């Protein structure tokens, strides 16, 4: 509970501060093909994006080859930083370790000195620290010459390098460098076409030690000297390890030289700080001073903070330990992707065709979509990721994410309710302005209709009525915009793009319809609780009407699938996209009850089963997750056999909503997401790239194929990889366990909490400790033995609620022989849902309880 947890964190902090907790947090290690694997050490205001051999190769495609290095969003600072010891460049790492909030490299010894490097980015600081630990195995003190090479690349995360975009990354102005006697100072004061003022971009590199000397000049790529520049159209496309820079690079370099005394039979660490600012030299110097003031204490604080996050939602899943481990590391992925930017000047780019100033937003905090090419603010990603954030206790970040979407959307779209698609950390907006061209919206409808669901979700888990109230008007405006502007045929089904942006689909998309229904119900719930009865009644009536017509409109009996769009005559079209699963994945809140899925059980059950084969889902040697588009699907009938973490997660959640939780069918998809973080068959039993990180797209083998449809990331070229860490896929693991298997269903906004697990035959027990709800937490245990189902809860540390319901879910068609609460028979209610037969009883809140349900 809360008190126990706070004490544990205090012990961790004290231990780390004492400097004696080298392995206080878990680490995952790997030693294979490190030069082909990307990694990140991330903070809220900076990231170190490199490779697991300790080197910094060019990679990424938004700005060709420039999406790695050391970054303080929205400004990239350095392409690379390298160490040399006694005039010899440190060789590639022999082992990489991924930690909670940091990364480590075991490095080959040089001149008898053993070496290890630790990288981390302190939260709130615009820079990072790289520490080279030197160990002297001899008994006498040893003086070591350490050189540090840095190559600058002062450029923002937008403009991108796509042909025809204005401004363009090709206009990147040259950097200048100087040595001020203590640090390397890199500046870029050029300007892009159309900009009215000069830049004040600055990067500072140095240490809390005084250097012997330093110099600046071209190159300084460490062991690669002048650097290897790769061209965008190079054939064959090189692997990242062949490139140090890309076609838009215009940086410079520098070197620092230090003497480091290492005690006999002891170790010492030289910490190099990289700090920067897109505002002023003074700000960069201030950040640098803060970084070098206390690297050891900063690392201890960073690790303690991540340990505290790791202590929420501690899970035990006997027989499925990999899934529990996946969720543990998912907490760290979400934290790695949580970022802050300030002083955003919003520019509408219309996919690179314009550069129009729209207004200012002083600050945003968000959960980035993915590293390295999608680190910025997205609406649709956050609306899915919110499910992982709340189940894993990371409330603050996702609240701020939704506020950021609202704030930017209102400036960009003049308070219309249209939701922006993506926002770069400098305020550049590629897509998502509320205009309609030739009857087609220049934004994504799904991001409008998903938004109320994300807000309601956060409100239910936190009980924060203030958050509900501040977001309520924005959600209302969005839903009204859809009703008034995106329903030309007045049939109630919204028009416009959904999450699948493919040609050949009808104007009305399935996922928009599904999430619109949920959004209307969720808005009605929030509005009614806020005393806005008329608005709530109207939204609920609209949702009820759509639900009553849903299966008749969208179901295709011959295909045993829901259509993924409607043609001009409102006839459903099945192009076999992954959004066909959304009717089963969605959860509605209707008449005070959580309702899993929209539509009839028989239809949803059949639709899920239809996709559990190699025409819709992958097979070995690839990942077994859900294809983007099944056999014969898509605009050309060729299918699209990429496996995304989000589509796979959607299928996993759909399976859980239809009583298949933890079954072989559902585990196909939860395991498909989880295995990528630790042991992927396609890469010889190793992680996809960074240990513990869930990627965006998985290795996939097409039906009847002879080669990869999507090769593993580590086999792909320097500009053709997916994200090695993506946030939204954790929806399919964290939500499936905490909300579905353990059955944690809070509605703190209405003052009630229910816990109704669904434990499948293959899972004999499951436990969750410190599952965060509002300002407290609960513990849950679920188990089964034959026809006896047990739920144990401890809500003594939970927020105050007026009603608590405890229960268990039995397979569909079951009947109940007896129900015992805390050893005594008790009155109970049952409810048949798509999940199965839910048996529930009322119990006293703020206490420990044991419920035993015996099936007849």
């Amino acid at each position: 509970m809360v008190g126990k947890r706070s004490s544990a964190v205090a012990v961790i902090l004290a231990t780390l501060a004492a400097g004696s907790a080298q392995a206080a947090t878990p680490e995952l290690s790997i030693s294979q093909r490190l030069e082909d694997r990307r990694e990140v050490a991330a903070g809220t205001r900076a990231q170190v994006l490199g490779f697991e051999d300790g080197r910094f190769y060019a990679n990424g495609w938004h700005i060709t080859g420039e999406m790695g290095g050391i970054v303080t969003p929205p400004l990239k600072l350095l392409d690379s930083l390298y160490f040399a010891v006694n005039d010899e460049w440190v060789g590639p790492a022999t082992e990489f370790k991924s930690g909670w909030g940091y990364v480590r490299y075991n490095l080959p010894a040089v001149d008898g000195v053993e070496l290890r490097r630790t990288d981390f980015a302190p939260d709130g600081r615009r820079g990072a620290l790289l520490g080279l630990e030197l160990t002297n195995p001899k008994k006498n003190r040893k003086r070591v010459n350490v050189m540090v090479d840095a190559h600058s690349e002062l450029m923002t995360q937008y403009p991108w390098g796509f042909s025809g975009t204005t401004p363009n990354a090709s206009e990147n102005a040259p950097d200048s460098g100087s040595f001020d006697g203590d640090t390397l100072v890199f500046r870029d004061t050029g300007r892009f076409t159309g900009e009215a003022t000069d830049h004040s971009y600055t990067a500072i590199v140095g240490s809390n030690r005084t250097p012997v000397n330093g110099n600046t000049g071209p190159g300084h790529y460490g062991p690669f000297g002048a650097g290897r520049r790769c061209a965008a159209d190079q054939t064959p496309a090189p692997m990242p390890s062949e490139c140090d820079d890309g076609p838009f690079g215009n940086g410079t370099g520098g070197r620092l030289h230090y003497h480091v005394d290492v005690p006999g039979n002891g170790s010492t660490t030289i910490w190099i700080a990289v700090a920067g600012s897109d505002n002023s030299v003074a700000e960069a110097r201030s950040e640098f001073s803060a970084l070098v003031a206390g690297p050891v204490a900063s690392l201890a604080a960073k690790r303690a903070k991540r340990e505290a996050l790791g202590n929420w939602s501690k899970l035990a899943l006997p027989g499925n330990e990999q899934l529990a481990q996946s969720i543990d590391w998912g907490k760290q992925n979400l934290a790695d992707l949580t970022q802050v930017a300030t002083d955003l000047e919003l520019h509408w780019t219309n996919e690179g065709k314009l550069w129009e100033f729209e207004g200012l937003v002083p600050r945003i905090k968000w959960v980035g979509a993915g590293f390295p090419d999608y680190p910025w603010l997205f609406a649709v990603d956050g609306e899915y990721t919110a499910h992982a954030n709340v189940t894993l206790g990371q409330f603050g970040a996702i609240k701020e994410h939704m506020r950021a979407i609202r704030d930017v959307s209102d400036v960009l779209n003049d308070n219309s309710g249209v939701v922006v698609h993506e926002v770069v950390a400098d305020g550049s907006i590629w897509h998502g302005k509320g205009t309609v061209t030739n009857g087609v919206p220049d934004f994504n409808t799904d991001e409008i209709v998903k938004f109320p669901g994300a807000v309601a979700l956060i409100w239910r888990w936190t009980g924060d009525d203030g958050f509900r109230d501040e977001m309520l008007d924005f959600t209302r405006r969005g839903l009204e915009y859809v009703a008034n502007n995106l329903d030309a045929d007045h049939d109630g089904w919204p028009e416009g793009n959904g999450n699948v942006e493919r040609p050949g689909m009808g104007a009305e998309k399935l996922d928009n319809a599904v999430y619109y229904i949920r959004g209307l119900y969720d808005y009605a719930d929030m509005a009614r609780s806020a005393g806005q009865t008329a608005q709530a009644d109207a939204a609920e009536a609209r949702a009820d009407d759509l639900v009553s017509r849903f299966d008749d409109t969208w179901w295709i009996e011959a295909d045993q699938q829901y259509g993924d769009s409607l043609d001009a005559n409102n006839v459903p079209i099945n192009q076999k996209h992954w959004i066909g699963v959304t009717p089963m994945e969605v959860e509605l809140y209707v008449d005070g009850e959580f309702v899993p899925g929209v539509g009839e059980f028989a239809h949803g059950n059949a639709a899920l089963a239809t996709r559990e084969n190699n025409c819709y889902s992958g097979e070995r040697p690839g990942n077994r997750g859900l294809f983007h588009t099944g056999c014969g699907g898509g605009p050309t009938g060729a299918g699209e056999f990429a496996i995304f973490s989000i589509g796979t997660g959607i299928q996993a959640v759909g399976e859980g909503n239809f009583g298949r939780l933890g079954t072989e069918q559902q585990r196909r998809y939860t395991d498909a997401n989880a295995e990528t973080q630790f042991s992927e068959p396609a890469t010889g039993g190793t992680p996809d790239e960074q240990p513990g990180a869930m990627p965006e797209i998985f290795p996939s083998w097409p039906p009847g194929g002879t080669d990869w449809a999507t090769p593993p990331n580590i086999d792909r070229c320097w500009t053709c990889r997916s994200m090695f860490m993506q946030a939204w896929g954790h929806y399919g693991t964290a939500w499936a366990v905490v909300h579905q298997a353990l059955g944690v269903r809070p509605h703190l906004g209405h003052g009630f909490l229910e816990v109704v697990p669904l434990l499948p035959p293959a899972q004999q027990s499951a436990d969750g400790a410190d599952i965060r709800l509002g300002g407290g937490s609960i513990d849950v245990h679920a188990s089964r033995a034959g026809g006896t189902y047990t739920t144990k809860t401890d809500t003594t540390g939970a927020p105050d609620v007026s009603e608590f319901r405890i229960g268990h879910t039995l397979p569909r068609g079951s009947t109940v022989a007896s129900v015992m609460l805390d050893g005594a028979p008790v009155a109970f209610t049952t409810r048949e849902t798509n999940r199965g037969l839910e048996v529930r009883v009322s119990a006293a809140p703020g206490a420990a309880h044991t419920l035993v349900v015996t099936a007849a």
Side-chain angles (χ1 to χ4, degrees):
M1 295 294 95
V2 177
K4 294 187 297 183
R5 191 174 183 279
S6 298
S7 299
V9 173
V11 170
I12 293 162
L13 280 166
T15 305
L16 288 171
S20 60
Q22 289 297 306
T25 56
E27 291 182 344
L28 297 172
S29 65
I30 188 170
S31 57
Q32 296 96 340
R33 294 187 62 178
L34 301 183
E35 74 280 5
D36 293 325
R37 300 178 186 272
R38 297 168 295 179
E39 54 76 31
V40 67
T44 57
R45 301 221 63 188
Q47 298 90 42
V48 183
L49 287 149
F51 284 75
E52 293 171 32
D53 63 352
R55 296 184 165 180
F56 291 88
Y57 309 120
N59 78 98
W61 53 269
H62 267 104
I63 305 175
T64 307
E66 299 292 353
M67 300 306 292
I70 301 177
V71 182
T72 176
L75 184 67
K76 179 172 176 176
L77 304 176
L78 300 184
D79 273 335
S80 60
L81 188 144
Y82 290 103
F83 288 95
V85 171
N86 289 348
D87 299 321
E88 181 179 333
W89 292 110
V90 175
T94 56
E95 184 181 35
F96 171 82
K97 294 185 177 182
S98 195
W100 287 11
Y102 65 94
V103 299
R104 293 197 195 279
Y105 307 84
N106 289 340
L107 302 165
V110 174
D111 198 20
V113 179
E114 297 168 3
L115 302 172
R116 185 172 75 160
R117 193 180 105 202
T118 300
D119 297 355
F120 76 103
D123 291 331
R125 296 265 68 98
R126 301 203 67 185
L129 287 154
L130 292 77
L132 183 67
E133 181 184 5
L134 304 100
T135 298
N136 176 11
K138 304 294 185 181
K139 66 179 181 178
N140 296 323
R141 179 179 67 87
K142 187 168 188 174
R143 169 158 287 187
V144 178
N145 291 318
V146 175
M147 291 190 302
V148 178
D149 255 18
H151 188 87
S152 73
E153 194 62 85
L154 289 160
M155 64 190 308
T156 50
Q157 293 171 307
Y158 189 88
W160 299 333
F162 308 151
S163 177
T165 61
T166 302
N168 194 277
S170 61
E171 301 169 46
N172 177 30
D175 298 353
S176 63
S178 63
F179 173 62
D180 64 6
D182 193 47
T183 62
L184 301 176
V185 180
F186 299 109
R187 300 289 311 283
D188 181 342
T189 57
R191 65 180 68 172
F192 287 111
T193 302
E195 287 187 310
T197 58
D198 290 341
H199 299 154
S200 188
Y201 300 162
T202 306
I204 296 177
V205 182
S207 177
N208 53 6
R209 299 170 181 266
T210 301
V212 177
N213 53 52
N215 59 79
T216 58
H220 288 290
Y221 288 99
F224 304 106
R228 301 159 300 167
R229 184 182 293 266
C230 292
D233 57 354
Q234 196 166 321
T235 303
M239 291 292 283
S241 57
E242 300 174 59
C243 310
D244 301 304
D245 211 343
F248 305 125
N250 218 348
T252 188
R255 179 172 297 172
L256 296 168
H257 179 202
Y258 298 91
H259 287 161
V260 180
D261 291 329
V262 187
N265 297 316
S267 302
T268 192
T269 299
I270 175 171
W271 288 98
I272 298 298
V274 181
S277 170
D278 52 322
N279 298 316
S280 68
V281 176
E283 182 178 275
R285 290 197 182 281
S286 175
E287 294 292 337
F288 175 80
S289 297
L291 286 169
V292 298
V296 175
S298 292
L299 179 57
K302 181 65 177 276
R303 294 175 65 176
K305 183 177 179 181
R306 291 302 188 87
E307 178 82 1
L309 289 179
N311 283 335
W312 293 121
S313 299
K314 295 292 290 183
L315 303 174
L317 303 174
N320 202 355
E321 288 80 5
Q322 180 178 256
L323 181 57
Q325 188 183 30
S326 165
I327 294 168
D328 248 5
W329 281 88
K331 303 167 193 175
Q332 304 304 317
N333 287 189
L334 296 181
D336 282 338
L337 285 159
T338 298
Q339 301 166 68
V340 173
T342 60
D343 304 318
L344 282 77
E345 297 182 1
L346 303 185
H347 282 91
W348 170 236
T349 75
N350 191 21
E351 300 183 343
K353 304 177 187 69
L354 301 172
W355 185 249
E356 296 179 348
F357 177 73
E358 296 286 343
L360 302 172
V361 172
R363 179 185 181 275
I364 63 171
K365 184 175 183 178
W366 74 100
V367 183
F371 288 128
D373 273 280
Y374 289 120
W376 35 78
L377 172 69
F378 282 82
V380 65
D381 292 68
E383 290 158 344
Y384 284 120
T385 304
H387 295 78
N389 275 93
V390 297
T391 51
L392 300 180
Q394 297 184 28
F395 298 156
I398 200 62
K399 284 183 182 179
E400 294 284 5
H401 186 107
M402 295 304 151
R403 290 183 177 116
I405 291 294
R406 175 203 60 193
D407 293 347
V408 174
S409 297
D410 273 349
V411 173
L412 178 70
N413 292 315
D414 302 319
N415 300 302
S416 68
V418 172
V419 175
V420 68
H421 178 65
E422 61 183 316
V423 186
V424 183
D426 69 344
S428 302
I429 299 163
W430 184 259
H431 184 67
K433 188 174 173 65
T435 57
V436 178
T437 303
N438 297 324
V440 179
D442 294 328
F443 51 88
N444 282 16
T445 303
D446 69 309
E447 292 172 313
I448 305 175
V449 297
K450 283 194 189 87
F451 197 88
V455 173
L457 173 74
I458 296 164
W459 171 53
R460 290 169 186 146
W461 282 73
T462 64
D464 187 345
D465 287 346
F467 177 74
R468 173 205 64 191
D469 292 344
E470 69 172 287
M471 306 302 289
L472 195 55
D473 181 64
F474 182 75
T475 63
R476 175 191 60 78
R477 287 186 273 122
L479 292 172
E480 287 183 356
Y481 186 96
V482 172
N484 296 333
N485 298 277
L486 301 179
D487 187 16
D489 58 0
H490 306 293
D491 64 353
W493 308 115
E495 294 138 8
N497 266 338
N499 211 84
V500 172
E501 299 165 342
R502 297 293 187 272
M505 300 180 74
E508 295 162 329
K509 314 297 193 298
L510 177 65
D511 55 333
N512 291 343
V514 168
Y515 295 128
Y516 186 42
I517 291 169
R518 182 183 68 182
L520 288 166
Y521 279 130
D522 283 342
Y523 169 74
D525 181 29
M526 292 188 289
R528 183 165 287 112
S529 74
Q532 300 175 13
T533 305
Q535 294 93 325
D537 287 346
E540 192 171 86
R542 194 183 308 166
D544 287 344
D545 171 63
L546 295 175
V547 169
S548 72
R549 298 188 282 119
F550 185 80
D551 277 68
D552 287 344
T553 301
W554 294 92
W555 182 250
I556 305 174
E557 182 66 24
D559 292 354
Q560 293 292 284
Q561 288 284 292
Y562 289 100
D564 40 35
S565 66
L566 302 179
D567 68 14
N569 297 312
N570 276 350
V571 175
I573 304 168
N574 180 21
Q575 290 190 328
K576 302 183 180 179
H577 298 304
W578 65 267
I579 58 170
V581 183
T582 56
M584 292 74 78
E585 165 258 342
V586 75
E587 182 178 74
L588 309 179
Y589 185 76
V590 187
D591 297 331
E593 295 280 12
F594 293 100
V595 178
V598 58
E600 300 177 12
F601 175 80
H603 289 168
N605 197 48
L608 289 167
T610 299
R611 292 179 180 254
E612 294 161 355
N613 56 64
N614 68 357
C615 222
Y616 280 96
S617 299
E619 295 288 358
R620 302 301 187 204
N623 185 276
R624 299 188 73 224
L626 190 73
F627 290 142
H628 184 283
T629 307
C631 294
T636 66
E640 186 177 341
F641 303 116
I643 299 173
F644 286 76
S645 61
I646 186 57
T648 302
I650 294 287
Q651 178 82 10
V653 172
E655 299 275 358
N657 274 345
F658 276 70
R660 299 158 173 259
L661 194 71
T663 61
E664 181 181 351
Q665 298 101 313
Q666 194 211 32
R667 281 197 59 170
R668 173 182 189 142
Y669 302 101
T670 54
D671 290 359
N673 273 6
E675 74 179 25
T676 62
Q677 299 170 257
F678 312 109
S679 182
E680 192 174 66
T683 56
T686 67
D688 187 79
E689 285 196 73
Q690 182 168 354
M694 186 184 295
E696 175 194 18
I697 302 175
F698 306 159
S700 62
W701 195 266
T706 58
D707 199 359
W708 294 104
T710 305
N713 266 330
I714 60 173
D715 293 334
R716 297 170 72 178
C717 80
W718 71 310
T719 58
C720 55
R721 297 182 171 202
S722 70
M723 305 309 100
F724 68 85
M725 180 185 291
Q726 190 90 3
W728 60 3
H730 296 288
Y731 170 36
T733 51
W735 187 257
V737 172
V738 177
H739 179 68
Q740 293 186 318
L742 291 173
V744 179
R745 301 198 296 224
H747 201 324
L748 301 187
H750 283 320
F752 82 79
L753 165 65
E754 64 179 17
V755 178
V756 188
L758 169 58
L759 205 60
Q763 188 78 46
Q764 296 303 304
S765 69
D767 289 271
D770 283 313
I771 298 169
R772 189 180 183 191
L773 302 175
S777 65
I778 67 170
D779 296 343
V780 179
H781 164 84
S783 61
R784 60 174 292 161
T788 300
Y789 301 80
T790 300
T791 304
K792 296 181 180 181
T793 60
D794 185 348
T795 61
T796 55
D800 290 337
V801 293
S802 57
E803 183 180 4
F804 175 58
R805 298 194 289 258
I806 183 173
H808 212 105
T809 307
L810 280 58
R812 288 178 65 84
S814 298
T815 56
V816 179
S818 66
V819 179
M820 307 282 285
L821 179 65
D822 301 328
V826 65
F828 62 92
T829 62
T830 60
R831 180 175 74 122
E832 192 81 61
T833 74
N834 289 330
R835 282 165 49 96
L837 181 70
E838 293 186 354
V839 182
R840 299 181 295 183
V841 307
S842 293
H849 294 290
T850 299
L851 179 80
V852 179
V853 180
T854 303

